[in-house]
């Protein structure tokens, strides 16, 4: 057996484990439920909620987002929007000052979300808050979002992830990005809870007990993946993270390929940095029998779904060129099984948006993802900002 053939078999074995993960979790997400409880009585206590909104040069969307997020069906004196303003224009700060919100101005030589949040956590009187929510500058919370978060904490949860969905579906890239997000919600959040694991966090729409959050934020090794480290530290401390499928928060999806590629470059770099720092910790967690925390860390070994599809297509091509039927039939079967797993993870309301245009765009985005993986080093030292422009919610599941 040649070295190349042996390496190919190892690669097929690795991608097989990846596909198995997607199959098991896609099915689990179909047969189980998230942590929503619609039978919760009228709350006896409205916990004080601080909504952290880290924002870097988000002058185009922040005023509209603040206006929308103040429209909660939650007592106005029991929640507070806290805009962490990094590099805002003076005119924007003047407009924000007219709203009943708290503004914390920050400035860094190299700006990151983690730095902004940590400054806020160090300045805020945390004893005044029962819950801290994190929202992106472009996010719009559904009117009942904070009420649902409050209900979850009434049930004893100390960390919760809400259901982030697309705010805009105005381009083919945005539609596919919305589909990708919902697949991730199905696999990494809902299915994880069905199988007794912690929900993955997603950077916004998440809520924590203040001291638990501050403690979990003290160690940050990645430039663009603070939420994964936050999630991991919470799980390592012995807590599980709930997932509320009906607590919606609307997020702007990327509308063009260049922004898509930049965003994925940041994500891939963060995943690589996370693995660099936490891989052996995950192995130790398994060695000591702490399966839930070990598994949470080792999830980072999984290939992103679009990259996994690209690898399988490449394997099929290699197999066809070699003329060995086993070498192309095996990845073809895995490719079809993976596609089936992804398809059943897409919610019904998004199916009607898929046309031939979106299908033809998928291979192009695969190439963008591969390019993002090859250029991830540029995101190791600086935070790659995703610009936001959309101000209206056009898609409400």
């Amino acid at each position: 057996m040649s070295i190349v053939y042996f390496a190919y078999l190892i690669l097929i074995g690795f991608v097989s484990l990846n596909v198995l993960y997607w199959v098991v979790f896609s099915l689990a997400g179909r047969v189980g439920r998230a942590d929503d409880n619609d039978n919760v009585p009228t709350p006896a206590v409205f916990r004080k909620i601080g909504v952290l909104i880290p924002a870097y040069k988000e002058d185009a969307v922040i005023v509209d987002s603040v206006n929308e997020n103040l429209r909660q069906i939650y007592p106005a004196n029991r929640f507070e929007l806290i805009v962490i303003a990094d590099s805002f224009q003076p005119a924007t700060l003047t407009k924000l000052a007219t709203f009943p919100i708290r503004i914390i101005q920050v400035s860094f030589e190299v700006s990151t979300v983690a730095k902004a949040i940590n400054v806020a956590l160090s300045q805020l009187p945390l004893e005044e808050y029962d819950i801290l929510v994190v929202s992106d500058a472009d996010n719009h919370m559904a009117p009942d979002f904070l009420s649902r978060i409050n209900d979850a904490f009434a049930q004893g949860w100390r960390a919760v992830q809400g259901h982030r969905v697309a705010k805009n579906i105005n381009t083919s890239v945005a539609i596919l990005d919305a589909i990708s997000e919902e697949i991730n919600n199905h696999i990494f959040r809902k299915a994880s809870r069905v199988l007794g694991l912690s929900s993955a966090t997603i950077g916004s729409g998440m809520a924590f007990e203040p001291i638990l959050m501050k403690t979990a934020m003290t160690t940050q090794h990645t430039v663009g993946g603070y939420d994964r480290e936050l999630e991991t530290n919470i799980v390592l401390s012995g807590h599980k993270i709930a997932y509320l499928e009906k607590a919606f928060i609307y997020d702007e999806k990327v509308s063009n390929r260049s922004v898509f590629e930049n965003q994925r470059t940041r994500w891939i770099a963060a995943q690589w940095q996370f693995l660099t720092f936490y891989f052996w910790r995950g192995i130790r967690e398994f060695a000591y029998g702490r399966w839930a925390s070990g598994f949470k860390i080792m999830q980072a070994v999984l290939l992103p779904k679009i990259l996994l599809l690209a690898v399988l297509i490449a394997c099929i091509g290699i197999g066809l060129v070699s003329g060995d039927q086993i070498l192309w039939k095996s990845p073809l079967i895995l490719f079809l099984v993976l596609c089936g797993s992804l398809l059943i993870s897409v919610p019904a309301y998004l199916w009607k948006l898929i046309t031939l245009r979106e299908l033809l765009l998928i291979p192009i985005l695969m190439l963008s993802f591969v390019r993002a993986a090859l250029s991830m080093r540029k995101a190791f030292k600086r935070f790659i900002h995703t610009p936001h422009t959309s101000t209206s919610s056009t898609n409400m599941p």
Side-chain angles (χ1 to χ4, degrees):
M1 181 183 296
S2 69
I3 295 178
V4 174
Y5 189 84
F6 183 68
Y8 182 87
L9 292 180
I10 291 177
L11 176 62
I12 289 296
F14 174 67
V15 297
S16 297
L17 291 175
N18 277 256
V19 172
L20 177 63
Y21 174 92
W22 286 95
V23 170
V24 172
F25 278 68
S26 63
L27 293 174
R30 279 295 176 190
V31 300
R33 298 177 65 255
D35 296 300
D36 304 89
N37 187 350
D38 293 329
N39 297 318
V40 176
T42 302
V45 176
F46 290 97
R47 290 161 180 79
K48 181 66 179 289
I49 302 177
V51 182
L52 301 176
I53 307 176
Y56 173 73
K57 294 184 177 181
E58 295 286 11
D59 303 82
V61 298
I62 190 62
V63 173
D64 182 71
S65 292
V66 166
N67 189 51
E68 288 290 327
N69 288 327
L70 286 171
R71 300 174 181 175
Q72 289 289 301
I73 52 173
Y74 198 76
N77 65 336
R78 300 306 294 164
F79 79 96
E80 180 181 35
L81 302 187
I82 305 161
V83 176
I84 312 169
D86 186 350
S87 305
F88 274 24
Q89 297 296 323
T92 304
L93 293 171
T94 300
K95 289 181 182 178
L96 289 175
T98 65
F99 290 97
I101 65 174
R102 186 190 295 254
I103 302 171
I104 298 176
Q105 294 189 56
V106 297
S107 179
F108 309 100
E109 184 176 345
V110 178
S111 294
T112 69
V113 177
K115 289 178 182 178
I117 290 178
N118 276 325
V119 168
L121 293 176
S122 68
Q123 293 185 11
L124 289 170
L126 295 185
E127 67 279 0
E128 293 183 8
Y129 303 98
D130 301 299
I131 304 170
L132 289 179
V133 168
V134 180
S135 174
D136 279 349
D138 66 295
N139 287 175
H140 294 175
M141 297 182 291
D144 64 345
F145 183 82
L146 294 184
S147 296
R148 290 183 176 276
I149 294 296
N150 185 61
D151 291 343
F153 275 73
Q155 297 171 55
W157 290 103
R158 300 178 65 189
V160 174
Q161 173 63 58
H163 187 171
R164 199 171 78 177
V165 294
K167 184 172 68 174
N168 61 303
I169 46 173
N170 53 324
T171 69
S172 294
V173 174
I175 290 171
L176 291 176
D177 198 16
I179 290 172
S180 176
E181 177 121 283
E182 285 289 38
I183 291 174
N184 288 345
N185 285 332
H186 182 87
I187 299 292
F188 297 111
R189 281 166 272 285
K190 183 180 179 181
S192 290
R193 290 298 305 125
V194 171
L195 295 173
L197 303 169
S198 276
S199 166
T201 56
I202 199 171
S204 68
M206 48 189 188
F208 308 97
E209 186 179 89
I211 299 303
L212 179 64
M213 180 181 182
K214 184 174 183 178
T215 302
M217 285 290 296
T218 54
T219 303
Q220 289 290 319
H221 296 291
T222 65
V223 174
Y226 86 96
D227 54 321
R228 172 162 281 180
E229 289 198 72
L230 172 60
E231 165 196 336
T232 300
N233 287 332
I234 287 174
V235 173
L236 287 173
S237 67
H239 299 93
K240 285 187 177 179
I241 303 172
Y243 174 57
L244 303 183
E245 193 171 25
K246 298 179 182 178
F248 293 109
I249 185 166
Y250 299 94
D251 175 70
E252 181 182 340
K253 299 294 100 184
V254 297
S255 298
N256 61 71
R257 286 168 48 199
S258 62
V259 176
F260 173 90
E261 186 171 323
N262 277 337
Q263 186 186 67
R264 267 49 182 189
T265 299
R266 185 180 81 229
W267 291 359
I268 294 171
Q271 183 165 336
W272 180 261
Q273 288 179 312
F274 176 87
L275 269 177
T276 301
F277 284 103
Y278 286 95
F279 178 80
W280 292 110
R281 176 65 185 273
I283 297 297
R284 288 198 299 271
E285 291 296 302
F286 279 129
Y288 287 110
R290 296 189 285 266
W291 298 98
S293 53
F295 188 79
K296 174 59 64 178
I297 294 174
M298 300 311 293
Q299 279 180 319
V301 177
L302 296 171
L303 292 176
K305 54 188 174 295
I306 194 167
L307 189 57
L308 181 58
L309 287 168
V311 170
L312 286 170
I313 291 173
C315 288
I316 294 170
I318 293 171
L320 288 172
V321 171
S322 72
D324 189 326
Q325 290 193 24
I326 295 179
L327 294 186
W328 67 263
K329 284 186 177 180
S330 297
L332 177 60
I333 293 172
L334 291 172
F335 178 83
L336 295 175
V337 171
L338 177 60
C339 288
S341 301
L342 298 178
L343 290 175
I344 67 172
S345 302
V346 178
Y349 80 94
L350 284 174
W351 276 109
K352 63 182 180 181
L353 304 177
I354 302 175
T355 67
L356 181 61
R357 179 184 300 175
E358 283 71 49
L359 294 177
L360 293 176
L361 183 61
I362 292 175
I364 298 174
L365 294 183
M366 283 184 182
L367 292 176
S368 294
F369 207 103
V370 172
R371 283 210 308 251
L374 295 175
S375 60
M376 67 177 175
R377 292 185 65 86
K378 69 181 183 181
F380 285 168
K381 298 297 183 182
R382 65 182 180 90
F383 182 79
I384 299 178
H385 176 60
T386 301
H388 299 111
T389 58
S390 176
T391 59
S392 61
S393 300
T394 59
N395 185 44
M396 301 283 184

